[in-house]
Amino acid sequence: AVPAAESKPMSKDELLKTGADVYLRVCAVCHKADGTGMPPVFPALKTSPVVAGPAAAHISKVVHGVPGTAMQAFGAQLSDTDLAAVITYERSEWHPDATDAVVQPADIAKARTEAK
């Protein structure tokens, strides 16, 4: 079960602040601080159809990873709050018109139980 603090909806501002911190600490190593990545091993998030598309696909890639690529699964490493925040940050920073731009911790908890 997800702890109560994890399932509490967060404001977009809260998600963006936490997400920026998580991104710089965890994701920028491969995808660079400006989201341009280091193709072909670490794709750009700035031009990514995954980041611009439906949130469910983006969530799945971050939580479960992408087999056969350098994209590891972060589901076991980050909390629902941190995952929701970093995905919201990525979508808002590089694709502000993305569908489902704001991701909540409850969305992550749901994705953890779904098939890859």
XYZ file of all heavy atoms in Angstrom:
840
model
N 0.839 -1.189 0.000
C 0.000 0.000 0.000
C 0.879 1.245 0.000
O 1.942 1.255 0.604
C -0.913 0.006 1.208
N 0.398 2.270 -0.652
C 1.134 3.536 -0.723
C 0.889 4.314 0.560
O -0.254 4.446 0.996
C 0.649 4.357 -1.941
C 1.334 5.708 -1.981
C 0.895 3.598 -3.221
N 1.942 4.820 1.199
C 1.740 5.632 2.404
C 0.871 6.856 2.090
O 0.880 7.359 0.970
C 3.156 6.077 2.786
C 4.071 5.126 2.091
C 3.339 4.665 0.864
N 0.150 7.343 3.087
C -0.771 8.459 2.896
C -0.092 9.664 2.256
O -0.648 10.295 1.365
C -1.407 8.855 4.229
N 1.114 9.992 2.686
C 1.817 11.149 2.128
C 2.080 10.968 0.639
O 2.107 11.916 -0.119
C 3.131 11.371 2.869
N 2.280 9.731 0.223
C 2.556 9.447 -1.184
C 1.322 9.635 -2.056
O 1.446 9.927 -3.229
C 3.065 8.011 -1.356
C 4.455 7.792 -0.825
C 5.524 8.358 -1.734
O 5.280 8.535 -2.940
O 6.616 8.630 -1.249
N 0.144 9.422 -1.517
C -1.051 9.460 -2.348
C -1.734 10.832 -2.333
O -2.701 11.045 -3.036
C -2.034 8.372 -1.907
O -2.386 8.561 -0.557
N -1.212 11.760 -1.538
C -1.799 13.101 -1.469
C -1.502 13.859 -2.762
O -0.356 13.961 -3.182
C -1.181 13.840 -0.281
C -1.628 15.277 -0.143
C -0.867 15.954 0.997
C -1.066 17.449 0.964
N -0.117 18.145 0.090
N -2.538 14.399 -3.427
C -2.287 15.188 -4.631
C -1.404 16.399 -4.324
O -1.492 16.994 -3.254
C -3.680 15.635 -5.075
C -4.614 14.656 -4.440
C -3.961 14.268 -3.142
N -0.555 16.736 -5.267
C 0.352 17.864 -5.113
C 0.004 18.932 -6.140
O -0.507 18.615 -7.218
C 1.795 17.400 -5.319
C 2.251 16.357 -4.321
S 3.882 15.673 -4.740
C 4.941 17.091 -4.462
N 0.320 20.174 -5.823
C 0.101 21.249 -6.784
C 1.155 21.140 -7.879
O 2.216 20.537 -7.692
C 0.199 22.618 -6.103
O 1.559 22.903 -5.790
N 0.873 21.751 -9.022
C 1.841 21.731 -10.112
C 3.141 22.395 -9.668
O 4.227 21.917 -9.989
C 1.274 22.414 -11.355
C 2.200 22.299 -12.553
C 1.576 22.836 -13.821
C 2.515 22.651 -15.003
N 1.925 23.153 -16.251
N 3.055 23.475 -8.913
C 4.258 24.161 -8.436
C 5.099 23.253 -7.544
O 6.327 23.233 -7.664
C 3.899 25.445 -7.682
C 3.449 26.566 -8.607
O 3.683 26.475 -9.840
O 2.852 27.532 -8.105
N 4.445 22.513 -6.643
C 5.176 21.574 -5.774
C 5.866 20.500 -6.611
O 7.029 20.162 -6.378
C 4.219 20.879 -4.792
C 3.648 21.766 -3.717
C 2.580 21.052 -2.898
O 1.687 20.397 -3.491
O 2.646 21.141 -1.671
N 5.124 19.969 -7.586
C 5.681 18.930 -8.449
C 6.875 19.460 -9.241
O 7.906 18.787 -9.352
C 4.608 18.394 -9.402
C 3.533 17.529 -8.761
C 2.324 17.419 -9.678
C 4.082 16.149 -8.407
N 6.773 20.660 -9.785
C 7.855 21.226 -10.589
C 9.105 21.487 -9.752
O 10.222 21.225 -10.200
C 7.399 22.508 -11.287
C 6.365 22.305 -12.391
C 5.893 23.652 -12.921
C 6.916 21.436 -13.508
N 8.937 21.986 -8.540
C 10.088 22.262 -7.677
C 10.803 20.962 -7.323
O 12.018 20.845 -7.479
C 9.648 23.000 -6.409
C 10.819 23.338 -5.487
C 10.353 24.023 -4.225
C 11.478 24.438 -3.315
N 12.489 23.428 -3.066
N 10.052 19.972 -6.863
C 10.641 18.679 -6.519
C 11.205 18.015 -7.770
O 12.307 17.454 -7.748
C 9.583 17.770 -5.856
O 9.120 18.411 -4.662
C 10.148 16.402 -5.523
N 10.466 18.089 -8.869
C 10.889 17.460 -10.115
C 12.189 18.003 -10.657
O 13.030 17.255 -11.166
N 12.385 19.313 -10.564
C 13.639 19.916 -11.030
C 14.812 19.375 -10.218
O 15.862 19.036 -10.780
C 13.565 21.439 -10.925
N 14.629 19.258 -8.913
C 15.690 18.724 -8.052
C 16.007 17.272 -8.404
O 17.173 16.898 -8.518
C 15.286 18.808 -6.576
C 15.194 20.247 -6.062
O 15.774 21.156 -6.701
O 14.535 20.452 -5.025
N 14.969 16.456 -8.559
C 15.164 15.044 -8.897
C 15.816 14.919 -10.270
O 16.752 14.130 -10.454
C 13.825 14.265 -8.851
C 14.003 12.835 -9.353
C 13.249 14.266 -7.441
N 15.352 15.699 -11.235
C 15.912 15.629 -12.582
C 17.413 15.920 -12.563
O 18.209 15.172 -13.136
C 15.198 16.591 -13.541
C 15.731 16.450 -14.944
C 15.240 15.463 -15.789
C 16.783 17.242 -15.399
C 15.771 15.280 -17.065
C 17.314 17.070 -16.668
C 16.812 16.087 -17.489
O 17.345 15.891 -18.735
N 17.798 16.998 -11.909
C 19.214 17.368 -11.885
C 20.055 16.339 -11.137
O 21.195 16.071 -11.515
C 19.394 18.760 -11.281
C 18.868 19.887 -12.171
C 18.952 21.228 -11.453
C 19.618 19.944 -13.503
N 19.487 15.717 -10.123
C 20.214 14.733 -9.314
C 20.298 13.369 -10.003
O 21.313 12.693 -9.905
C 19.509 14.609 -7.959
C 20.151 13.655 -6.978
C 19.531 13.733 -5.591
N 18.092 13.846 -5.544
C 17.252 12.813 -5.491
N 17.695 11.580 -5.517
N 15.949 13.008 -5.436
N 19.243 12.966 -10.713
C 19.155 11.595 -11.218
C 19.211 11.490 -12.750
O 19.899 10.637 -13.287
C 17.852 10.921 -10.701
C 17.728 9.499 -11.216
C 17.812 10.935 -9.182
N 18.496 12.342 -13.439
C 18.302 12.188 -14.885
C 19.318 12.937 -15.745
O 19.655 12.502 -16.845
C 16.902 12.643 -15.279
S 15.593 11.947 -14.261
N 19.775 14.087 -15.244
C 20.650 14.952 -16.041
C 21.986 14.288 -16.366
O 22.629 14.647 -17.355
C 20.878 16.285 -15.339
N 22.386 13.313 -15.581
C 23.641 12.607 -15.841
C 23.643 12.023 -17.254
O 24.631 12.113 -17.964
C 23.863 11.485 -14.796
C 25.062 10.640 -15.134
C 23.979 12.072 -13.409
N 22.511 11.484 -17.666
C 22.407 10.867 -18.998
C 21.728 11.786 -20.021
O 22.145 11.843 -21.170
C 21.627 9.554 -18.922
S 22.432 8.301 -17.899
N 20.678 12.454 -19.603
C 19.875 13.241 -20.542
C 20.280 14.719 -20.580
O 19.655 15.491 -21.297
C 18.382 13.099 -20.223
C 17.873 11.716 -20.414
N 17.689 11.140 -21.649
C 17.514 10.761 -19.503
C 17.233 9.898 -21.503
N 17.120 9.651 -20.210
N 21.303 15.093 -19.829
C 21.835 16.455 -19.724
C 20.836 17.416 -19.088
O 19.629 17.227 -19.174
C 22.314 16.969 -21.084
C 23.498 16.159 -21.623
C 23.879 16.511 -23.018
C 24.598 17.812 -23.134
N 25.024 18.079 -24.528
N 21.370 18.432 -18.443
C 20.530 19.394 -17.718
C 19.518 20.089 -18.621
O 18.411 20.405 -18.196
C 21.399 20.430 -17.010
N 19.883 20.282 -19.891
C 18.977 20.979 -20.806
C 18.077 20.026 -21.601
O 17.346 20.444 -22.492
C 19.759 21.877 -21.760
C 20.681 21.105 -22.700
O 20.733 19.848 -22.634
O 21.349 21.759 -23.510
N 18.139 18.727 -21.278
C 17.256 17.752 -21.921
C 17.662 17.334 -23.322
O 16.921 16.640 -23.999
N 18.853 17.736 -23.776
C 19.280 17.408 -25.136
C 19.897 16.019 -25.256
O 20.130 15.543 -26.359
C 20.275 18.453 -25.694
O 21.398 18.539 -24.818
C 19.601 19.810 -25.854
N 20.145 15.355 -24.143
C 20.655 13.994 -24.157
C 22.013 13.855 -24.807
O 22.687 14.834 -25.111
N 22.402 12.590 -25.010
C 23.642 12.248 -25.690
C 23.334 11.086 -26.622
O 23.669 9.939 -26.354
C 24.719 11.881 -24.672
C 25.161 13.064 -23.827
S 26.376 12.633 -22.581
C 25.320 12.247 -21.184
N 22.607 11.378 -27.714
C 22.201 10.329 -28.651
C 23.419 9.614 -29.233
O 24.482 10.221 -29.330
C 21.451 11.096 -29.745
C 21.039 12.381 -29.097
C 22.103 12.687 -28.084
N 23.299 8.344 -29.578
C 22.063 7.564 -29.584
C 21.789 6.829 -28.275
O 20.705 6.317 -28.075
C 22.304 6.562 -30.709
C 23.774 6.284 -30.644
C 24.401 7.611 -30.234
N 22.769 6.767 -27.376
C 22.579 5.991 -26.150
C 21.580 6.648 -25.204
O 20.719 5.981 -24.641
C 23.931 5.741 -25.440
C 23.732 4.978 -24.147
C 24.875 4.971 -26.354
N 21.691 7.949 -25.020
C 20.807 8.685 -24.114
C 20.024 9.711 -24.930
O 20.512 10.799 -25.201
C 21.615 9.375 -23.014
C 22.496 8.431 -22.243
C 23.875 8.525 -22.334
C 21.953 7.424 -21.459
C 24.696 7.655 -21.647
C 22.763 6.542 -20.771
C 24.144 6.658 -20.858
N 18.814 9.375 -25.355
C 18.052 10.265 -26.241
C 17.683 11.592 -25.590
O 17.596 11.701 -24.368
C 16.801 9.461 -26.585
C 16.757 8.318 -25.658
C 18.102 8.150 -25.038
N 17.474 12.573 -26.429
C 17.019 13.888 -25.962
C 15.584 13.781 -25.468
O 14.739 13.166 -26.111
C 17.109 14.891 -27.103
N 15.326 14.373 -24.324
C 13.953 14.450 -23.832
C 13.263 15.667 -24.430
O 12.049 15.689 -24.597
C 13.937 14.528 -22.306
C 14.562 13.332 -21.589
C 14.494 13.528 -20.088
C 13.904 12.034 -22.001
N 14.061 16.655 -24.776
C 13.561 17.915 -25.323
C 12.777 17.706 -26.624
O 11.844 18.438 -26.899
C 14.757 18.830 -25.573
C 14.432 20.257 -25.736
C 15.723 21.062 -25.761
C 15.400 22.510 -25.541
N 16.584 23.309 -25.290
N 13.144 16.715 -27.400
C 12.463 16.441 -28.676
C 11.775 15.082 -28.681
O 11.414 14.566 -29.729
C 13.479 16.495 -29.833
O 14.520 15.544 -29.572
C 14.073 17.884 -29.980
N 11.578 14.522 -27.510
C 11.056 13.159 -27.396
C 9.546 13.056 -27.598
O 8.773 13.741 -26.922
C 11.390 12.592 -26.021
O 10.729 11.365 -25.821
N 9.110 12.154 -28.497
C 7.676 11.912 -28.630
C 7.097 11.255 -27.373
O 5.900 11.382 -27.106
C 7.558 10.996 -29.846
C 8.916 10.428 -30.068
C 9.900 11.379 -29.457
N 7.926 10.585 -26.594
C 7.451 9.978 -25.346
C 7.073 11.070 -24.356
O 6.018 11.022 -23.724
C 8.519 9.036 -24.732
C 8.105 8.566 -23.348
C 8.764 7.859 -25.653
N 7.919 12.077 -24.229
C 7.653 13.168 -23.295
C 6.465 14.010 -23.760
O 5.703 14.529 -22.955
C 8.916 14.037 -23.093
C 8.648 15.218 -22.176
C 10.052 13.188 -22.530
N 6.273 14.124 -25.061
C 5.172 14.917 -25.609
C 3.858 14.144 -25.696
O 2.800 14.739 -25.835
C 5.541 15.419 -27.004
N 3.930 12.825 -25.617
C 2.745 11.992 -25.807
C 1.980 11.715 -24.526
O 2.139 12.423 -23.531
N 1.170 10.664 -24.536
C 0.373 10.312 -23.355
C 1.256 10.023 -22.136
O 2.303 9.384 -22.247
C -0.382 9.059 -23.785
C -0.383 9.117 -25.278
C 0.901 9.790 -25.664
N 0.822 10.507 -20.993
C 1.599 10.340 -19.760
C 1.831 8.875 -19.422
O 2.887 8.525 -18.898
C 0.899 11.053 -18.612
N 0.880 8.011 -19.695
C 1.019 6.596 -19.318
C 2.274 5.960 -19.906
O 2.968 5.202 -19.226
C -0.221 5.817 -19.734
N 2.590 6.262 -21.157
C 3.787 5.699 -21.788
C 5.052 6.259 -21.148
O 6.025 5.530 -20.915
C 3.779 5.985 -23.287
N 5.045 7.535 -20.842
C 6.186 8.187 -20.196
C 6.406 7.584 -18.813
O 7.528 7.216 -18.444
C 5.896 9.687 -20.113
C 7.052 10.534 -19.718
N 6.987 11.895 -19.763
C 8.298 10.260 -19.260
C 8.134 12.413 -19.354
N 8.944 11.433 -19.044
N 5.329 7.461 -18.049
C 5.399 6.871 -16.712
C 5.966 5.463 -16.788
O 6.867 5.105 -16.029
C 4.005 6.858 -16.040
C 3.549 8.284 -15.738
C 4.014 6.009 -14.774
C 2.071 8.406 -15.372
N 5.467 4.656 -17.704
C 5.914 3.271 -17.830
C 7.416 3.182 -18.082
O 8.113 2.368 -17.477
C 5.145 2.566 -18.951
O 5.580 1.224 -19.057
N 7.926 4.030 -18.971
C 9.358 3.996 -19.288
C 10.210 4.371 -18.080
O 11.256 3.783 -17.839
C 9.667 4.910 -20.466
C 9.182 4.325 -21.774
C 9.656 5.113 -22.954
C 9.142 4.642 -24.283
N 8.845 3.266 -24.485
N 9.773 5.351 -17.303
C 10.550 5.789 -16.151
C 10.441 4.775 -15.002
O 11.438 4.440 -14.371
C 10.124 7.200 -15.692
C 10.871 7.617 -14.436
C 10.363 8.215 -16.803
N 9.256 4.262 -14.760
C 9.051 3.308 -13.658
C 9.662 1.943 -13.972
O 10.364 1.363 -13.147
C 7.548 3.164 -13.320
C 7.310 2.030 -12.317
C 7.003 4.477 -12.775
N 9.410 1.430 -15.181
C 9.810 0.062 -15.525
C 11.096 -0.027 -16.341
O 11.638 -1.121 -16.524
C 8.686 -0.637 -16.302
C 7.403 -0.705 -15.536
N 7.245 -1.418 -14.369
C 6.195 -0.133 -15.773
C 6.017 -1.291 -13.925
N 5.353 -0.512 -14.752
N 11.588 1.098 -16.885
C 12.770 1.077 -17.733
C 12.431 0.593 -19.136
O 11.277 0.323 -19.450
N 13.459 0.514 -19.975
C 13.290 0.057 -21.351
C 14.297 -1.064 -21.592
O 15.492 -0.800 -21.741
C 13.502 1.202 -22.369
C 13.308 0.694 -23.789
C 12.566 2.366 -22.074
N 13.827 -2.322 -21.605
C 14.739 -3.453 -21.806
C 15.565 -3.297 -23.086
O 15.064 -2.802 -24.101
C 13.802 -4.658 -21.901
C 12.555 -4.226 -21.180
C 12.441 -2.749 -21.452
N 16.828 -3.676 -22.995
C 17.701 -3.628 -24.155
C 18.296 -2.261 -24.428
O 18.962 -2.053 -25.436
N 18.031 -1.301 -23.524
C 18.591 0.046 -23.675
C 19.272 0.446 -22.361
O 19.226 -0.292 -21.373
C 17.510 1.100 -23.989
O 16.746 1.352 -22.807
C 16.600 0.656 -25.120
N 19.853 1.610 -22.351
C 20.491 2.122 -21.134
C 19.473 2.668 -20.124
O 19.833 2.971 -18.990
C 21.490 3.217 -21.493
N 18.198 2.770 -20.529
C 17.170 3.322 -19.639
C 16.790 2.302 -18.587
O 16.088 1.326 -18.854
C 15.930 3.754 -20.436
C 14.833 4.359 -19.580
S 15.379 5.861 -18.769
C 14.024 6.134 -17.654
N 17.279 2.554 -17.375
C 16.976 1.644 -16.273
C 15.615 1.953 -15.660
O 15.041 3.008 -15.904
C 18.067 1.737 -15.220
C 18.210 3.114 -14.592
C 19.322 3.172 -13.577
O 19.267 2.466 -12.579
N 20.323 3.997 -13.833
N 15.128 1.027 -14.874
C 13.865 1.209 -14.156
C 14.139 2.010 -12.890
O 15.020 1.659 -12.109
C 13.267 -0.147 -13.807
N 13.393 3.074 -12.692
C 13.567 3.888 -11.497
C 12.488 3.632 -10.458
O 12.488 4.247 -9.400
C 13.627 5.378 -11.870
C 14.933 5.750 -12.497
C 15.076 5.736 -13.878
C 16.034 6.064 -11.725
C 16.290 6.049 -14.469
C 17.257 6.370 -12.298
C 17.382 6.362 -13.672
N 11.575 2.701 -10.742
C 10.493 2.396 -9.820
C 10.955 1.945 -8.455
O 10.337 2.269 -7.443
N 12.063 1.206 -8.398
C 12.567 0.718 -7.122
C 13.506 1.725 -6.452
O 13.859 1.552 -5.292
C 13.295 -0.610 -7.327
N 13.892 2.755 -7.188
C 14.872 3.703 -6.659
C 14.257 5.002 -6.149
O 14.821 5.653 -5.279
C 15.884 4.062 -7.750
C 16.671 2.864 -8.244
C 17.558 3.256 -9.400
O 18.276 4.237 -9.322
N 17.499 2.498 -10.486
N 13.119 5.388 -6.725
C 12.505 6.668 -6.364
C 11.089 6.461 -5.830
O 10.398 5.521 -6.223
C 12.453 7.585 -7.594
C 13.799 7.985 -8.203
C 13.587 8.740 -9.508
C 14.608 8.822 -7.226
N 10.668 7.368 -4.975
C 9.311 7.312 -4.411
C 8.280 7.704 -5.466
O 8.618 8.295 -6.505
C 9.214 8.273 -3.223
O 9.269 9.619 -3.686
N 7.032 7.403 -5.181
C 5.943 7.807 -6.073
C 5.950 9.326 -6.259
O 5.740 9.827 -7.364
C 4.583 7.365 -5.526
C 4.386 5.855 -5.581
O 5.226 5.141 -6.149
O 3.373 5.408 -5.034
N 6.203 10.049 -5.171
C 6.229 11.514 -5.234
C 7.356 11.989 -6.139
O 7.151 12.850 -7.005
C 6.385 12.115 -3.821
O 5.230 11.759 -3.054
C 6.518 13.625 -3.865
N 8.569 11.446 -5.959
C 9.699 11.866 -6.788
C 9.484 11.508 -8.254
O 9.818 12.287 -9.150
C 11.003 11.254 -6.289
C 11.541 11.942 -5.043
O 11.014 13.002 -4.648
O 12.509 11.407 -4.446
N 8.924 10.338 -8.511
C 8.658 9.927 -9.896
C 7.610 10.833 -10.544
O 7.792 11.297 -11.665
C 8.216 8.464 -9.945
C 9.328 7.449 -9.668
C 8.731 6.090 -9.321
C 10.271 7.352 -10.848
N 6.532 11.098 -9.827
C 5.485 11.981 -10.365
C 6.054 13.374 -10.619
O 5.777 13.995 -11.654
C 4.307 12.062 -9.395
N 6.876 13.842 -9.703
C 7.445 15.181 -9.829
C 8.397 15.280 -11.014
O 8.324 16.228 -11.797
C 8.166 15.559 -8.531
N 9.270 14.309 -11.181
C 10.245 14.400 -12.269
C 9.572 14.249 -13.631
O 9.936 14.924 -14.594
C 11.428 13.418 -12.084
C 11.063 11.979 -12.429
C 12.625 13.880 -12.894
N 8.567 13.406 -13.726
C 7.853 13.249 -14.990
C 7.071 14.529 -15.306
O 7.073 14.997 -16.442
C 6.958 11.995 -14.973
C 7.847 10.737 -14.929
C 6.022 11.962 -16.181
C 7.113 9.455 -14.593
N 6.445 15.116 -14.311
C 5.747 16.390 -14.509
C 6.737 17.466 -14.954
O 6.452 18.244 -15.869
C 5.007 16.827 -13.227
O 4.004 15.858 -12.917
C 4.362 18.192 -13.377
N 7.899 17.495 -14.318
C 8.930 18.474 -14.689
C 9.353 18.289 -16.150
O 9.405 19.255 -16.912
C 10.142 18.345 -13.756
C 11.312 19.173 -14.204
C 11.345 20.548 -13.961
C 12.371 18.605 -14.893
C 12.411 21.328 -14.395
C 13.439 19.375 -15.328
C 13.453 20.732 -15.072
O 14.511 21.494 -15.516
N 9.648 17.065 -16.545
C 10.086 16.803 -17.921
C 9.017 17.231 -18.928
O 9.316 17.878 -19.929
C 10.409 15.322 -18.108
C 11.650 14.886 -17.373
C 11.857 13.381 -17.328
O 10.987 12.623 -17.817
O 12.901 12.955 -16.807
N 7.780 16.878 -18.655
C 6.684 17.191 -19.579
C 6.447 18.702 -19.636
O 6.231 19.263 -20.709
C 5.414 16.446 -19.156
C 5.605 14.926 -19.224
C 4.426 14.156 -18.679
N 3.320 14.146 -19.619
C 3.298 13.461 -20.761
N 4.337 12.742 -21.119
N 2.246 13.501 -21.540
N 6.512 19.364 -18.508
C 6.252 20.804 -18.446
C 7.408 21.622 -18.995
O 7.203 22.660 -19.619
C 5.974 21.221 -16.998
O 4.810 20.583 -16.532
N 8.619 21.158 -18.763
C 9.816 21.890 -19.190
C 9.995 21.857 -20.706
O 10.302 22.872 -21.310
C 11.050 21.289 -18.498
C 12.339 21.986 -18.799
C 12.492 23.348 -18.136
O 11.674 23.713 -17.268
O 13.441 24.062 -18.503
N 9.821 20.677 -21.306
C 10.144 20.530 -22.719
C 8.938 20.381 -23.641
O 9.055 20.555 -24.838
C 11.133 19.382 -22.919
C 12.439 19.747 -22.268
C 13.225 20.819 -22.594
C 13.053 19.119 -21.167
N 14.311 20.866 -21.758
C 14.235 19.833 -20.866
C 12.736 18.009 -20.390
C 15.093 19.479 -19.842
C 13.598 17.656 -19.367
C 14.756 18.391 -19.096
N 7.807 20.048 -23.076
C 6.593 19.887 -23.885
C 5.401 20.411 -23.090
O 4.539 19.632 -22.682
C 6.398 18.421 -24.286
C 7.478 17.928 -25.184
N 7.534 18.233 -26.521
C 8.572 17.180 -24.922
C 8.611 17.682 -27.052
N 9.258 17.048 -26.099
N 5.340 21.724 -22.871
C 4.276 22.277 -22.037
C 2.869 21.996 -22.560
O 1.908 22.048 -21.797
C 4.567 23.777 -21.998
C 5.539 24.025 -23.087
C 6.244 22.735 -23.375
N 2.756 21.647 -23.844
C 1.441 21.312 -24.395
C 1.173 19.810 -24.377
O 0.200 19.351 -24.957
C 1.324 21.831 -25.835
C 1.429 23.350 -25.899
O 0.982 24.020 -24.940
O 1.971 23.868 -26.888
N 2.051 19.052 -23.724
C 1.897 17.599 -23.668
C 0.554 17.228 -23.046
O 0.053 17.928 -22.165
C 3.024 16.966 -22.850
N 0.016 16.116 -23.514
C -1.210 15.623 -22.888
C -0.864 15.166 -21.469
O 0.245 14.730 -21.206
C -1.789 14.438 -23.679
O -0.805 13.414 -23.740
C -2.198 14.854 -25.082
N -1.782 15.290 -20.562
C -1.572 14.834 -19.187
C -0.266 15.373 -18.598
O 0.539 14.619 -18.065
C -1.539 13.302 -19.106
C -2.683 12.618 -19.829
O -3.765 13.202 -19.902
O -2.471 11.513 -20.335
N -0.042 16.686 -18.701
C 1.237 17.272 -18.275
C 1.520 17.067 -16.789
O 2.655 16.888 -16.403
C 1.284 18.753 -18.627
N 0.490 17.091 -15.960
C 0.692 16.933 -14.519
C 0.419 15.476 -14.133
O -0.646 14.942 -14.403
C -0.217 17.888 -13.720
C -0.095 17.620 -12.224
C 0.127 19.335 -14.044
N 1.428 14.872 -13.516
C 1.333 13.481 -13.055
C 1.351 13.507 -11.531
O 2.181 14.186 -10.924
C 2.525 12.655 -13.604
C 2.525 11.260 -13.029
C 2.475 12.622 -15.131
N 0.430 12.784 -10.925
C 0.328 12.737 -9.472
C 0.930 11.430 -8.929
O 1.016 10.431 -9.654
C -1.142 12.836 -9.051
C -1.778 14.180 -9.322
C -1.221 15.284 -8.435
O -0.679 15.055 -7.351
N -1.357 16.520 -8.913
N 1.331 11.427 -7.656
C 1.856 10.196 -7.053
C 0.900 9.002 -7.212
O 1.355 7.872 -7.417
C 2.044 10.574 -5.583
C 2.327 12.048 -5.629
C 1.447 12.567 -6.742
N -0.393 9.237 -7.177
C -1.358 8.142 -7.344
C -1.245 7.509 -8.734
O -1.470 6.307 -8.896
C -2.773 8.643 -7.105
N -0.875 8.312 -9.749
C -0.678 7.772 -11.097
C 0.509 6.808 -11.121
O 0.490 5.804 -11.828
C -0.429 8.908 -12.102
C -1.594 9.885 -12.203
O -2.757 9.444 -12.151
O -1.332 11.091 -12.329
N 1.537 7.140 -10.355
C 2.711 6.274 -10.278
C 2.369 4.983 -9.550
O 2.733 3.889 -9.986
C 3.889 6.989 -9.582
C 4.231 8.304 -10.280
C 5.095 6.069 -9.461
C 4.655 8.188 -11.729
N 1.650 5.098 -8.453
C 1.259 3.911 -7.684
C 0.465 2.955 -8.575
O 0.678 1.741 -8.555
C 0.426 4.328 -6.467
N -0.413 3.502 -9.387
C -1.208 2.676 -10.316
C -0.296 2.010 -11.354
O -0.429 0.827 -11.639
C -2.255 3.542 -11.009
C -3.129 2.794 -11.964
C -4.139 3.720 -12.632
C -4.890 2.957 -13.704
N -5.619 3.838 -14.600
N 0.648 2.758 -11.885
C 1.554 2.215 -12.919
C 2.446 1.111 -12.370
O 2.808 0.186 -13.102
C 2.416 3.339 -13.493
N 2.778 1.176 -11.106
C 3.631 0.138 -10.512
C 2.968 -1.234 -10.583
O 3.643 -2.243 -10.675
C 3.919 0.462 -9.041
C 4.896 1.593 -8.832
C 5.134 1.770 -7.338
N 5.904 2.942 -7.023
C 7.234 3.032 -7.081
N 7.942 1.988 -7.466
N 7.854 4.140 -6.750
N 1.643 -1.239 -10.526
C 0.922 -2.506 -10.502
C 0.552 -2.993 -11.905
O 0.091 -4.122 -12.052
C -0.355 -2.387 -9.661
O -1.224 -1.433 -10.275
C -0.047 -1.955 -8.240
N 0.727 -2.144 -12.900
C 0.370 -2.515 -14.262
C 1.546 -3.182 -14.961
O 2.696 -2.966 -14.608
C -0.072 -1.279 -15.053
C -1.352 -0.698 -14.513
C -1.737 0.629 -15.161
O -0.912 1.206 -15.897
O -2.845 1.081 -14.918
N 1.247 -3.961 -15.962
C 2.290 -4.650 -16.738
C 3.145 -3.630 -17.465
O 2.695 -2.547 -17.799
C 1.655 -5.602 -17.728
N 4.377 -4.008 -17.723
C 5.292 -3.153 -18.466
C 4.798 -3.018 -19.867
O 5.083 -2.194 -20.604
C 6.705 -3.731 -18.463
C 7.273 -3.859 -17.084
C 8.637 -4.510 -17.162
C 9.082 -4.995 -15.812
N 10.310 -5.691 -15.824
